[in-house]
Amino acid sequence: MVSPLDHKLLRDLWRMKGQALAIGVVIAVGVGMLVMMTGLVTSLNETRAAYYERYRLADIFAPVTRAPDHIAERLADITGVSAVEPRVTGGALIDLPDRNLPVQAQAVSLPDLRSPRLNDVYLTDGRMIDSDHSDEILLLHSFAKAHGLRPGDQLHATMNGARRSFNIVGLAQSPEYLYVTAPGELIADDARFGVIWMSRSALSATYDMQGAFNEALLSLSRGANERAVLDAADRILAPYGGTGAYPLANQTSNMIVSEEISGLEATSAGVPPIFLGVAAFLLYIVINRMVQSEREEIGLMKAFGYTNTEVGAHYFKLVMAIAVGGALAGCLMGIAGGRALIQVYITYFKFPFLVFQLDPASFVIGVSVSIAAASVGGLLVLRSVFALTPATAMRAPAPADYSRTGRLGHALNRWLDQPSRMVLRRITRQPARMAGAMIGIACGMALTVSMITIYAGFDRTLDLTFNVMDRSDVAVSFTHAVSETTIFELTRMSGVIYVEPVRYVPAVLRNGRLTHRGVITGLDKDARLARALDANLDTIPLPHNGIVLSTALADILNIRAGDMLTVEVREGRQPVLQLPVAGVAESLLGAPAYMERDALNRALREPNRVSGAYLTIDTAQAQPLYDALQDMPTVAGVSVKSQTEEAFHTMMDTGTGAMRYVMGAIAFIITFGIVYNAARIAYAERARDLASLRVIGFTKGEAAFVLLGELAIVTLVALPVGALMGYYLSFGIAAGFSSELYQIPAMFDAESYGFAAVVVIGAAVASGWLVKRDIDRADLISALKTRE
């Protein structure tokens, strides 16, 4: 049987359904984001672990120039190594009829008569290759799909300077290529980079590697010392041109997946509590004002014998009903959102399958945290319920003193009509209450400002990266460091306007125990096409004997200008250099390190060497130029900046980048919920007063103006406060979206702030319209009645 207090609870929930819904939505959004993001983290983690284990992804990658096969036995004897797989790899250029440039590819060998011990492939279409047929290949599934290739098609590619034709017999995926990008690049594009698997015998013949390998894959036994294995592998391979073994954590594909998971974990830990905190604040305001308006009812309940505990439990149930309802709705929203976003990650990362998996702990945490947050707001109010005695509660509270409005009010009274004076009196005589509403709306403004600013930050990243820092049209990479005479050959080509050489040197950068495996970029002193810029976008002069680090790399190594950096070069003679850090440059793409090219060549004792070039070209002669570049034996790849920019834009609109749109929609929902809730609270408090105004002759418009005028003033005051809060919040959100792959700047953009203000004002107008509709429909007799 339902008790009288429970009957009252149901009536109160129905009466304040608008407010309850607004608060429930805020709670639901917080819980939904927690469930969705923890589910995505669980899905990515478990699927990655299962994929790696099933197809035996190596724990250590050890590239080498050329090592005889018997060296693999020495690697297998290293303590802690459980399996070794030697293989041959090499660069390739694929000719496709739908592309005006050859596409870069990586050729990888598979054992002739057995499955690979490590880094096996998942066959999606067709069949495995037959080692008796040297022209059979497997092709990366995502690359084949991007170009409409299928098993049975032919493919033409240039390998080791020779053009060959191959038969595609199957399409495959591999845990080694979850994130597919060309060597030396960070931007994935299915259409611009492919992977070819061939039999070991066929690929060895192509690259003159019979009886030898140029990469060893190692797996570790449980409890193995990874650092010790890396050092032992380097010692064994050093005489054969080993360029430095590295762990799976530094493998590009795995590193990008790990950063994505870490970003989701950080967001799930930081963002939902903000929304739940806002919900607790709103609940506190609603229940506090409800208790104040029901003083006489509380007195009557206590006079009829209800104890403090029973009365307090009644209002606590109201809080819990809203919190639990919002939490359960949030769980359902999280499941739906996770299932929708999982499709984005299937496209972004090349998993053979990815099923959204729920994390049961997220349900428990989400519901528990939402209840706890709501309880904090509710318990603060319940103290005043316990403090009320029946006699005090049944006595009407002292009316507010509206006899004076201060100097401001006195000066404005003769200029204001009666409804305007009523608005002014309420604001000046109840500043704490108005401040609470203002802070709530300012929070909504801050969320909106920060998200719109992040949108501008993404656009700014694209503009700076591709129009300010890189002003070339085409980038050419060479198979190895070549003489400067190659630059003169490029300059003489028809269609080339300007050529700027560049030197890339793979290296391990070390500062104490902190390391980073990357590339040093050697630029000319007066570089015009590819530049190192500081935070003010001014060109950083490259010194004659120092290195300039990007801000992201300086943070990774915890190093500043003036410090000494250890550089372990991973090509050629592999010297170890001690270089002073001459400066820190702003970079929004990757974590590069810059040196003056001649200084880099001097440090390496390899004068007049280049690894690539940036070109500006005459677009009218682009195709003949591309054909000529394809015929140069030293050219490893040609990258058109416009295509790279398009791929980067696509990348930033998927994965974590796509999350900004979800959070932007959530910020708008929260903003509307806060503003609408403030309007509903004000109306609930003043319904009786507004009805009284109507009875004494005020029109519907005048009565609505008394209420909505307060909302308008509070909203306008909240805008600059919210803009300031949003400015600082933007830095935190920008840091959450940034990664080693790209950095998103937090920036002041007047247009973004203006649009955010329009969003908040629009929410206020919509909320005001909904509340005015209720005012116009109000039954004056019912509103004037007492509820007890």
Side-chain angles (χ1 to χ4, degrees), residues 745-767:
M747 50 186 290
F748 179 85
D749 182 6
E751 183 179 350
S752 299
Y753 282 73
F755 185 77
V758 169
V759 169
V760 174
I761 293 173
V765 170
S767 301

Side-chain angles (χ1 to χ4, degrees), residues 509-762:
L509 310 181
R510 188 182 303 276
N511 179 36
R513 299 181 63 182
L514 300 175
T515 62
H516 175 78
R517 189 181 183 92
V519 173
I520 300 176
T521 302
L523 303 175
D524 279 0
K525 183 176 180 180
D526 299 320
R528 299 184 332 196
L529 301 185
R531 303 179 298 159
L533 305 179
D534 61 17
N536 297 319
L537 302 184
D538 296 324
T539 301
I540 293 180
L542 298 178
H544 293 294
N545 60 349
I547 188 170
V548 176
L549 305 180
S550 65
T551 51
L553 183 52
D555 291 338
I556 292 171
L557 296 175
N558 191 26
I559 198 168
R560 297 294 177 265
D563 296 342
M564 294 299 295
L565 179 69
T566 301
V567 177
E568 301 173 3
V569 177
R570 293 305 188 186
E571 72 172 16
R573 296 179 297 103
Q574 300 187 33
V576 177
L577 310 175
Q578 295 292 329
L579 300 174
V581 178
V584 176
E586 186 72 20
S587 176
L588 301 178
L589 182 61
Y594 304 102
M595 286 186 70
E596 199 267 327
R597 185 170 61 89
D598 289 339
L600 178 59
N601 285 333
R602 282 197 305 272
L604 296 173
R605 298 180 182 178
E606 297 175 357
N608 303 321
R609 293 288 173 177
V610 296
S611 303
Y614 291 96
L615 283 64
T616 55
I617 66 172
D618 180 0
T619 55
Q621 303 182 56
Q623 190 55 55
L625 174 61
Y626 296 155
D627 295 338
L629 289 173
Q630 183 178 351
D631 293 334
M632 291 183 65
T634 56
V635 171
V638 179
S639 175
V640 180
K641 189 177 73 172
S642 60
Q643 297 176 356
T644 305
E645 183 176 2
E646 182 181 353
F648 188 39
H649 201 287
T650 301
M651 181 194 70
M652 294 177 73
D653 284 340
T654 55
T656 300
M659 193 66 68
R660 73 188 192 271
Y661 296 115
V662 176
M663 293 184 64
I666 288 172
F668 174 77
I669 293 172
I670 294 295
T671 301
F672 178 80
I674 291 173
V675 176
Y676 177 71
N677 195 69
R680 292 296 310 183
I681 290 173
Y683 175 60
E685 285 183 333
R686 308 200 64 189
R688 186 183 178 104
D689 294 340
L690 295 175
S692 299
L693 292 178
R694 291 285 310 283
V695 170
I696 64 177
F698 277 63
T699 65
K700 292 180 179 180
E702 289 173 330
F705 177 81
V706 171
L707 177 65
L708 300 182
E710 300 171 12
L711 176 64
I713 293 175
V714 169
T715 300
L716 293 176
V717 173
L719 292 179
V721 177
L724 182 62
M725 294 168 60
Y727 174 79
Y728 291 102
L729 182 60
S730 298
F731 287 96
I733 296 180
F737 277 113
S738 299
S739 66
E740 188 175 328
L741 184 60
Y742 54 79
Q743 288 77 48
I744 303 302
M747 50 186 290
F748 179 85
D749 182 6
E751 183 179 350
S752 299
Y753 282 73
F755 185 77
V758 169
V759 169
V760 174
I761 293 173

Side-chain angles (χ1 to χ4, degrees), residues 51-52 57 61 87 89 108 119-120 173-179 197 215 217 246 251-254:
Y51 194 25
Y52 284 5
L57 184 63
F61 296 76
R87 68 180 185 179
T89 65
V108 180
N119 290 26
D120 201 356
Q173 291 178 265
S174 168
E176 185 178 357
Y177 298 102
L178 285 178
Y179 183 85
W197 286 275
E215 186 175 33
L217 307 174
Y246 58 92
Q251 197 255 352
T252 301
S253 172
N254 180 73

